[in-house]
């Protein structure tokens, strides 16, 4: 066997019970259940852009799959299969062993089969494609929100962005707090169970990767709506509230990225059903505002503080090309 095939056999070949054929041939073979649609998405992680060069390879492996699974969650799809395209500057077996351990820990946690990929030499880049199933017509699309829908967010926002700011020495955080924040940044949990429970209830959904305002903005644009948010109701952790106040707090919670929580809309009449889903999943779900019909000259999102004063927001979210 050539070194490349050895690596694939050693680190990336596992059983694939959900596929007819997995790693090892020219292509994998899959079957989508009758009455279901195939949901497909890809997300790439590049060293220096999406993670630090010295980041623990286990965590890079976890996160490269988790951010993809998060896209399935946001569609209300069940993740089932993934491919992995890897560019590696050199063969570093210790790195690969840890990377693969983290990748498969996430794959096992969400019941995903690695069914193929590609391995080549180049600047460290990890490109994952995820595939899943959703009953035909019931995906949670971005374009389904209606005026008057409530806007909801799962979990807390801002932890991941604050961890990143601390790792970049922009803020100083005591070790005990930093280790809880880093969990959100480095080992995000995809909200798959929530996405599945929201089928037939949510009118639109998105996962928050680039910041609440930027990602909610995508729902609003695709649905041609505006929104009013109450900042007091936007969920944040006690740690974030301890370290940040006023504008800095608003910026971190509203525009910080990498949380991988879900933002979704649902009719006001479904309010109690949504609360029940949160209780059943032991997951915090907060109603943060409402959608409105959109008047073209106005900004899409208005955020109000506790005194009903408009909060001025500078950057809406992370943009790789800004
Ligand atoms: P080909 O030359 O047909 O593209 P490759 O030599 O690239 O085939 O890959 C051989 C097999 O190993 C294929 O089934 C491919 O899907 C799989 N594979 C390659 N790299 C990876 C990887 N990083 N993770 C999972 N499977 C991989
Ligand atoms: Mg190939």
């Amino acid at each position: 066997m050539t070194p490349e095939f050895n690596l694939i056999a050693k680190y990336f070949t596992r059983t694939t019970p959900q596929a007819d054929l997995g790693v090892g041939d020219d292509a994998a073979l899959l079957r989508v259940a009758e009455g279901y649609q195939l949901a497909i998405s890809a997300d790439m992680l590049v060293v220096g852009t999406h993670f630090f060069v010295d980041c623990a390879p286990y965590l890079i492996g976890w996160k490269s799959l988790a951010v993809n699974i998060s896209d399935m969650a946001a569609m209300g799809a069940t993740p089932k299969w993934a491919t992995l395209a890897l560019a590696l500057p050199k063969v570093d077996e210790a790195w690969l062993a840890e990377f693969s351990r983290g990748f498969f820990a996430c794959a096992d946690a969400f019941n995903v089969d690695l069914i193929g990929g590609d391995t080549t030499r180049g600047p460290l880049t990890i490109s994952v494609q995820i595939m899943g199933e959703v009953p035909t017509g019931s995906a949670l699309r971005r374009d389904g929100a209606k005026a008057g829908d409530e806007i909801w967010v799962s979990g807390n926002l801002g932890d991941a962005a604050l961890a990143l700011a601390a790792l970049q020495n922009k803020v100083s955080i005591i070790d005990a707090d930093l280790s809880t924040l880093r969990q959100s940044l480095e080992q995000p949990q995809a909200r798959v169970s929530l996405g599945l429970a929201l089928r037939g209830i949510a009118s639109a959904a998105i996962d928050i990767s680039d910041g609440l305002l930027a990602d909610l903005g995508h729902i609003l644009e695709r649905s041609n709506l505006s929104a009013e948010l109450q900042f007091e109701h936007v969920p944040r952790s006690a740690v974030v509230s301890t370290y940040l106040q006023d504008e800095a707090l608003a910026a971190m919670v509203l525009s910080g990225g990498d949380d991988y929580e879900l933002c979704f809309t649902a009719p006001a009449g479904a309010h109690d059903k949504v609360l029940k889903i949160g209780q059943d999943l032991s997951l915090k779900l907060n109603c943060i505002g409402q959608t409105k019909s959109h008047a073209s000259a106005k900004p899409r999102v208005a955020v109000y503080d506790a005194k009903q004063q408009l909060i001025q927001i500078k950057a809406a979210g992370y943009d790789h090309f800004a």
Side-chain angles (χ1 to χ4, degrees), residues 29 32-33 73 95 102-103 120 164 173 190-191 258 267 300 313 318:
L29 297 174
V32 185
W95 192 94
F103 188 94
T120 171
L164 181 63
I173 306 237
R191 299 300 186 191
D258 260 0
R300 293 252 178 211
I313 294 131
Y318 192 77

Side-chain angles (χ1 to χ4, degrees), residues 147-180:
D149 280 354
E150 291 180 330
I151 301 168
W152 296 80
V153 164
S154 65
N156 286 320
L157 301 184
D159 281 8
L162 183 56
L164 181 63
L167 295 174
Q168 293 170 328
N169 295 317
K170 292 177 183 165
V171 285
S172 152
I173 306 237
I174 64 164
D175 287 348
D177 289 338
L178 185 55
S179 66
T180 59

Side-chain angles (χ1 to χ4, degrees), residues 17-53:
Q18 302 184 107
D20 289 347
L21 186 62
V23 170
D25 212 311
D26 296 312
L29 297 174
L30 311 176
R31 233 178 308 173
V32 185
E34 186 76 32
Y36 282 73
Q37 287 171 304
L38 181 64
I40 304 188
S41 172
D43 247 320
M44 188 155 67
L45 275 80
V46 178
V47 65
T49 305
H50 300 96
F51 55 89
F52 298 111
V53 67

